[in-house]
Amino acid sequence: MILVFCELKDGQIRKPSTEALSEGRRLADASGKKVGALFAGASCAGAAEAAKFGADVILTAEAPTLASYSSDAFATLLADAVKAKGATVLLAAATAVGKDVLPRAAARLGAGYASDVTGLAMVDGKLQAVRPVYAGKAFATTTFSSAVQTATTRPNVFPAAEKAGAGAVEVLAAPAGDFKSVVKEILAKAGGKVDLSEANVIVSGGRGMKDGANFKILEELADAIGGVVGASRAAVDAGWGLPHSMQVGQTGKVVSPTLYIACGISGAIQHIAGMSGSKYIVAINKDPEAPIFKLANYGIVGDLFEVVPELTKAAKAMGIGKN
Amino acid sequence: MKILVALKQVPDTETKIKVAADGKSLDPADVKWITSPYDEYALEEAIRIKEGKGAEVVALSVGGDTAKDVLKNALALGADTAVLLKGDGQGDAFAVAQMIAAYAKDKGFDLILCGNKGLGGDNAAMGPMLAELLGVAQANVVVKLELGEGTFKAEREIEAGSEVVEGALPAVITAQKGLNEPRYASLKGIMAAKKKTIEELDASAVTAGAQVSALALPPERPAGRLLDGDASAQAQALLQALKDEAKVF
Ligand SMILES: Cc1cc2nc3c(=O)[nH]c(=O)nc-3n(C[C@H](O)[C@H](O)[C@H](O)COP(=O)(O)OP(=O)(O)OC[C@H]3O[C@@H](n4cnc5c(N)ncnc54)[C@H](O)[C@@H]3O)c2cc1C
């Protein structure tokens, strides 16, 4: 069996989890295996939806003690489920929770782990993972020497595909309480927009924005084209009041949108490390020699304070983002 | 309080990546090696705890002779002692976690700090694997850390914000940018570090979980197109291209 740990938010499967589950289904079809979707929480209402993305079996562990995320509780649950089901592959999305729990569960299982992968395949019945390394300057193909193989899938890379599975529900026992650590509080940022790591369209600003208040013009463009706003480290560190959660790059977020618009960003290697996986890159910079142009599919040499408002205006006129 | 800081030597980000003749590893010629930047936040945090409430700080690295540079730097910055586990520190995270766990178990560390990922390999896995192997609590991608009596409270980065994790010590904490501002080594620190020795031990034998079977450079991005005209014309042309050619909208 291929087991996929899925996260719920407000009673719905999170999008990165549907992507991981869809990939699990594809791998299972290629190797004649079954797919299990594993859920945990105070309530797993909404888990049934996993059948739409190919789950043959839906495993749920419900308990008040699982209301908050706990590394060791969830790792115990995952590892026990792998053993109980004789699963050979364990997947999750490379989210904050996925990247926290999978390596811990892997260590418990004595299993190899590949983080934040952008490609998966079954070769002779074994999992093979491809992942960017060295700031996206190379891709490593990873093979496993352990019986159980584990990986997290980078959000927004694997297509979520609806494919019906049997969706038989099985209830798992929740691990006993008294966990070594537990999440006590979530300090969410205002806005309620999708996170950069899952966004399909990102409009990012750098030092060329001159001031935090000017990010308003990026917000307006992002709103017009259905995107979210990011920033370079220079902009975050400039004391303009931009939170670190906006930072894209090596010491910020790794993003993989369909469209990344870099405004007033030079394209330093540490920034590129976070966004080179974008499908289409647009650079707006007044310096024609800026390294970002080497990466860009479309380049605009010009003053962003003129170009960005024009883009917003044109997007509204063309009715873009109104889907 | 006894703190272990695990530090990794990694290629500088600016390094031009060349694939070695074996087709699966980094050609080490011309590579400039540095301490992984996330590990610098971990080390800084350990030194601040030492300064604040007193602690013994042990710096550890898994690697060959060149990794001693990382440890000398850690000693110069304020680590009390340094240990080099001689072994492959560049390989599989699970293997490295086992080596460090074998060293750390039974040594009474209250806190183990490391970077949230090693620059370059970006596995983000060694810390949580080490926590599991030692059977202790973990908090990853931490931007704020408070220690109590046998407890910790850590703020860690998540999607669109952060969350507060509480748990019992001992624990493994992995550091993220924002945790602190790492200091530079002082001349006094550098001189004092010269008098200290680095303990060298052979890393224990371990089993790898995964390995790199091929390393390849990414395909060239197709040459980009510059858009002509004034700002308004450029904007029109861009949106049209994104719509028609790229089919983004
Ligand atoms: C260990 C380490 C980690 C790092 N991690 C990150 C990271 O995670 N993310 C990150 O982004 N950086 C990171 N950096 C920093 C990185 O090296 C660069 O300093 C940073 O990315 C530069 O940001 P920038 O492009 O906004 O600024 P600059 O390099 O200053 O570029 C500003 C650009 O704006 C253009 N410009 C100015 N005015 C206008 C205008 N009116 N219209 C159009 N264009 C204009 C200029 O031509 C220039 O190209 C890291 C560095 C280190 C050492």
Side-chain angles (χ1 to χ4, degrees):
Chain A
M1 176 177 278
I2 293 179
L3 198 58
V4 186
F5 168 62
C6 299
E7 296 169 61
L8 289 164
K9 189 162 187 249
D10 304 325
Q12 290 208 305
I13 308 185
R14 291 190 56 200
K15 185 167 164 274
S17 297
T18 62
E19 296 165 2
L21 190 50
S22 299
E23 183 60 17
R25 179 76 258 169
R26 275 188 290 272
L27 295 172
D29 287 343
S31 55
K33 289 184 160 62
K34 284 208 170 357
V35 179
L38 172 62
F39 294 84
S43 156
C44 296
E49 217 196 332
K52 271 206 281 186
F53 297 96
D56 296 308
V57 185
I58 298 172
L59 306 162
T60 60
E62 284 187 338
T65 47
L66 297 176
S68 295
Y69 170 68
S70 158
S71 308
D72 64 326
F74 278 52
T76 303
L77 190 65
L78 264 61
D80 287 353
V82 164
K83 285 185 211 148
K85 290 284 146 196
T88 49
V89 173
L90 173 66
L91 301 177
T95 59
V97 164
K99 288 202 277 191
D100 197 67
V101 70
L102 257 255
R104 187 161 186 136
R108 181 168 292 207
L109 291 161
Y113 167 66
S115 180
D116 214 7
V117 306
T118 54
L120 285 171
M122 291 299 260
V123 180
D124 299 330
K126 291 284 274 182
L127 189 67
Q128 209 170 73
V130 175
R131 47 188 309 275
V133 290
Y134 303 118
K137 285 179 283 185
F139 282 81
T141 302
T142 302
T143 49
F144 297 82
S145 30
S146 51
V148 178
Q149 309 147 85
T150 72
T152 49
T153 55
R154 179 173 288 190
N156 225 24
V157 170
F158 298 89
E162 297 208 3
K163 182 163 195 267
V169 176
E170 274 179 43
V171 175
L172 298 178
D178 199 18
F179 308 133
K180 293 184 183 78
S181 72
V182 72
V183 170
K184 289 286 177 184
E185 195 185 348
I186 293 184
L187 311 167
K189 289 276 160 2
K193 288 210 174 128
V194 287
D195 187 68
L196 284 172
S197 57
E198 293 160 37
N200 196 36
V201 174
I202 296 174
V203 182
S204 256
R207 206 195 310 263
M209 295 303 296
K210 308 269 188 304
D211 187 16
N214 294 332
F215 271 70
K216 194 163 163 285
I217 64 170
L218 302 188
E219 291 284 353
E220 285 162 0
L221 175 57
D223 283 345
I225 60 176
V228 289
V229 176
S232 73
R233 173 160 170 177
V236 169
D237 285 358
W240 296 345
L242 306 173
H244 179 243
S245 57
M246 277 177 80
Q247 183 180 318
V248 172
Q250 193 158 61
T251 41
K253 291 203 163 121
V254 175
V255 300
S256 41
T258 306
L259 174 62
Y260 189 89
I261 306 184
C263 308
I265 292 176
S266 61
I269 184 72
Q270 296 88 350
H271 187 78
I272 290 174
M275 48 67 81
S276 62
S278 307
K279 192 145 181 236
Y280 289 96
I281 295 170
V282 172
I284 304 173
N285 199 304
K286 64 181 182 190
D287 173 9
E289 302 298 324
I292 188 84
F293 284 118
K294 289 205 194 74
L295 212 67
N297 302 76
Y298 301 102
I300 293 183
V301 177
D303 186 340
L304 71 92
F305 293 102
E306 290 171 26
V307 176
V308 172
E310 286 295 339
L311 275 171
T312 309
K313 208 162 85 184
K316 283 183 182 158
M318 289 166 72
I320 281 168
K322 299 256 175 316
N323 37 2
Chain B
M1 163 152 245
K2 207 171 158 189
I3 305 176
L4 180 70
V5 185
L7 302 150
K8 183 178 183 184
Q9 190 174 44
V10 299
D12 184 85
T13 324
E14 313 271 352
T15 295
K16 191 163 165 35
I17 298 301
K18 280 177 276 176
V19 180
D22 67 2
K24 58 184 183 183
S25 60
L26 173 69
D27 180 349
D30 307 326
V31 170
K32 184 185 160 213
W33 296 92
I34 58 166
T35 302
S36 183
Y38 311 99
D39 298 348
E40 293 184 341
Y41 301 116
L43 178 61
E44 176 65 31
E45 197 65 15
I47 298 165
R48 287 188 190 196
I49 294 167
K50 173 179 160 179
E51 288 167 348
K53 51 173 74 176
E56 178 196 342
V57 177
V58 179
L60 175 144
S61 191
V62 180
D65 272 341
T66 62
K68 284 185 191 163
D69 290 345
V70 166
L71 295 170
K72 278 182 209 146
N73 183 49
L75 289 170
L77 284 163
D80 297 295
T81 52
V83 179
L84 177 70
L85 289 186
K86 289 192 283 180
D88 179 12
Q90 300 297 320
D92 176 43
F94 185 45
V96 174
Q98 290 170 72
M99 294 176 204
I100 299 178
Y103 168 81
K105 94 172 161 352
D106 308 332
K107 292 215 171 45
F109 289 107
D110 303 286
L111 186 63
I112 299 175
L113 287 158
C114 57
N116 79 81
K117 57 183 174 184
L119 186 85
D122 286 356
N123 277 295
M126 204 291 287
M129 287 179 155
L130 179 59
E132 172 62 26
L133 294 174
L134 292 172
V136 303
Q138 72 185 57
N140 288 309
V141 205
V142 167
V143 291
K144 196 172 167 195
L145 178 65
E146 284 170 34
L147 299 178
E149 286 300 319
T151 59
F152 72 89
K153 188 172 167 182
E155 189 178 323
R156 75 181 208 101
E157 235 176 45
I158 56 167
E159 291 87 358
S162 59
E163 65 187 13
V164 180
V165 184
E166 289 182 23
L169 294 178
V172 174
I173 305 287
T174 75
Q176 167 66 327
K177 179 197 171 218
L179 180 60
N180 51 45
E181 218 28 81
R183 70 193 69 191
Y184 292 99
S186 65
L187 189 61
K188 192 164 153 251
I190 295 168
M191 297 313 288
K194 288 210 167 113
K195 299 203 188 82
K196 295 185 184 168
T197 49
I198 293 169
E199 187 183 357
E200 293 184 44
L201 302 168
D202 287 324
S204 47
V206 295
T207 40
Q211 52 277 313
V212 174
S213 58
L215 188 67
L217 301 182
E220 290 274 318
R221 283 191 87 97
R225 206 176 99 201
L226 285 183
L227 302 168
D228 302 320
D230 64 4
S232 162
Q234 286 171 321
Q236 293 281 349
L238 174 63
L239 292 178
Q240 210 60 56
L242 288 173
K243 217 172 150 190
D244 300 344
E245 295 168 21
K247 309 222 182 311
V248 175
F249 300 119

